Amino acid sequence: MAVVKGEKECILYLPLFAELTSLEIGVNKSADIEKLANPFRHNIAVVGSSFTHGVGASGAGLTWPAFLSRSTGLHLCSFGMSGMSRLQPHLADAFTKTNADAIICDSFSNPSIAQVQSRIRPFIEAIRKNKPDMPIIFINTIYREHRNFLPKYEKRESERIAHNENLMKTIVKEYKNVYFVNVPNQTGTDHITSADGTHPYSYGYHRWAQAIEKPIMKILKKHKIK
């Protein structure tokens, strides 16, 4: 492989599925390496499911928060918890003890209808204890390809999504600075982006980030986050 000479700027993404106990970066003996200033503006906490974690992505920098961070210049710090993003108030409390300027919530991908119904208000109120004015942006879950093959699963998913959409119409009126980004077909309609029938692969994450970028940036700009 040819070596391209000259100065280079790189972003290093840490592993998604491995515990990092040490890190070494190798360069040629004649080369120098130095830390650059953080290129991103503002701090946006992203709480979410395995979708946010990046299950199915082919690299750590190919999740939807990573794509969105690079395209907007905002620092999206991702806290994806596979199967465990269920609107727990103690998680909301933990996230708001950070220096985040806003929080984006992929919170409708894991919980049941009953869990969303009982937990969403305590979740929001836990955030409001520490961050009374911080924008809270909920995003809708994506279309799972399993729905095309399993009628029972299709029925359950349709009911769950419809419930959450209707509930959020009420929630955004009840709470100041709470928003719901509900973009249809975030990963497309051509059925080519699923890695396993549930999670997208990298191209699907790229489409997802592109689909939600404009509405999220419109909300953040209202709060002078740009």
Side-chain angles (χ1 to χ4, degrees), residues 47 81 83-93 105 107-128 136 138 163-164 167-168 171 174-175 178:
V47 54
M81 297 164 289
M84 294 304 296
S85 180
R86 297 179 181 271
L87 292 165
Q88 299 94 323
H90 66 272
L91 293 177
D93 182 61
C105 306
S107 298
F108 300 135
S109 298
N110 291 152
S112 64
I113 288 176
Q115 287 174 327
V116 172
Q117 187 72 40
S118 64
R119 294 180 179 182
I120 189 164
R121 289 176 176 86
F123 181 86
I124 294 170
E125 288 158 12
I127 294 175
R128 285 290 175 250
I136 306 170
F138 291 92
H163 169 270
N164 296 337
L167 177 61
M168 287 307 298
I171 293 294
E174 286 183 20
Y175 295 94
V178 172

Side-chain angles (χ1 to χ4, degrees), residues 49-64:
S49 65
S50 55
F51 289 140
T52 294
H53 184 186
V55 174
S58 56
L62 301 175
T63 65
W64 73 259

Side-chain angles (χ1 to χ4, degrees), residues 181-196:
V181 172
N182 186 25
V183 179
N185 307 316
Q186 297 102 310
T187 58
T189 59
D190 47 11
H191 309 292
I192 62 171
T193 63
S194 178
D196 57 6

Side-chain angles (χ1 to χ4, degrees), residues 2-166:
V3 176
V4 180
K5 295 183 179 181
E7 188 176 273
K8 306 171 184 66
E9 293 185 6
C10 301
I11 299 174
L12 179 64
Y13 289 93
L14 302 181
L16 292 175
F17 295 98
E19 179 184 4
L20 189 70
T21 57
S22 65
L23 176 65
E24 296 180 355
I25 302 173
V27 298
N28 292 334
K29 288 183 179 180
S30 59
D32 295 317
I33 185 170
E34 63 181 60
K35 177 184 176 182
L36 295 176
N38 184 351
F40 298 110
R41 310 177 306 278
H42 300 284
N43 294 309
I44 314 297
V46 184
V47 54
S49 65
S50 55
F51 289 140
T52 294
H53 184 186
V55 174
S58 56
L62 301 175
T63 65
W64 73 259
F67 279 121
L68 196 56
S69 194
R70 291 194 297 272
S71 65
T72 62
L74 300 176
H75 182 201
L76 273 69
C77 191
S78 176
F79 298 93
M81 297 164 289
S82 295
M84 294 304 296
S85 180
R86 297 179 181 271
L87 292 165
Q88 299 94 323
H90 66 272
L91 293 177
D93 182 61
F95 290 125
T96 57
K97 290 176 180 175
T98 69
N99 63 343
D101 300 302
I103 183 168
I104 300 174
C105 306
D106 157 33
S107 298
F108 300 135
S109 298
N110 291 152
S112 64
I113 288 176
Q115 287 174 327
V116 172
Q117 187 72 40
S118 64
R119 294 180 179 182
I120 189 164
R121 289 176 176 86
F123 181 86
I124 294 170
E125 288 158 12
I127 294 175
R128 285 290 175 250
K129 288 180 183 179
N130 293 318
K131 302 282 187 177
D133 300 312
M134 184 177 72
I136 306 170
I137 304 171
F138 291 92
I139 61 173
N140 208 349
T141 190
I142 62 170
Y143 187 96
R144 290 166 162 86
E145 293 295 327
H146 280 315
R147 295 173 62 175
N148 299 330
F149 306 100
L150 302 169
K152 288 184 178 180
Y153 189 72
E154 161 63 24
K155 182 175 183 295
R156 189 187 75 183
E157 280 292 285
S158 297
E159 290 173 350
R160 191 164 67 99
I161 290 172
H163 169 270
N164 296 337
E165 288 174 344
N166 289 328

